Amino acid sequence: MNCTLDISGDKQIQNPTESDIRQAVFALDTNEGDAFLILGPTKTKMTYIQTGGDQKVGFVLEYQETDAKHHYRAKRDLTADEIVKALVAYSTGADDWKTMAEWEVIRW
């Protein structure tokens, strides 16, 4: 899948490698301001997976499919390694990351 990794709104990486994703996850620091990653197909802005947090506080993981009515959040915080695994799987088009947590619908 052609995808883009947005790093805290400051930097974008086209078709990130596993190394790019790992480095971005482990570099997040909530003490430094915005600490989030958004990974999604290059051609759409409404389908993506995103995380926020850092190694000290844990990571929230959310994903959206097609529109805001299909926006979900993991029911537990994940570790940095779990986030790397989820983002790498998503970037390859695999769906196994969805089994890493239970999900709840976000109501806007």
Side-chain angles (χ1 to χ4, degrees):
M1 158 175 31
N2 286 328
C3 59
T4 302
L5 178 65
D6 182 324
I7 303 171
S8 300
D10 295 328
K11 180 179 178 184
Q12 292 187 342
I13 300 174
Q14 300 296 321
N15 301 315
T17 64
E18 181 174 350
S19 177
D20 293 331
I21 291 169
R22 178 171 294 282
Q23 182 177 2
V25 169
F26 280 86
L28 290 178
D29 185 350
T30 57
N31 289 328
E32 298 293 322
D34 290 334
F36 67 87
L37 302 174
I38 302 171
L39 179 66
T42 303
K43 293 184 179 184
T44 179
K45 299 291 184 201
M46 297 302 290
T47 297
Y48 54 84
I49 189 170
Q50 64 184 11
T51 189
D54 64 25
Q55 294 179 73
K56 295 180 295 291
V57 300
F59 293 88
V60 173
L61 185 63
E62 299 179 356
Y63 74 96
Q64 181 170 297
E65 293 179 337
T66 310
D67 59 39
K69 292 179 183 177
H70 299 96
H71 192 109
Y72 306 88
R73 177 180 296 139
K75 289 185 175 182
R76 67 175 179 88
D77 286 351
L78 282 78
T79 66
D81 285 327
E82 288 174 315
I83 294 297
V84 170
K85 184 177 178 181
L87 295 179
V88 169
Y90 187 92
S91 73
T92 65
D95 281 339
D96 57 338
W97 58 270
K98 288 184 180 178
T99 63
M100 296 177 67
E102 290 184 48
W103 302 92
E104 60 187 353
V105 176
I106 303 299
R107 305 272 183 227
W108 301 105

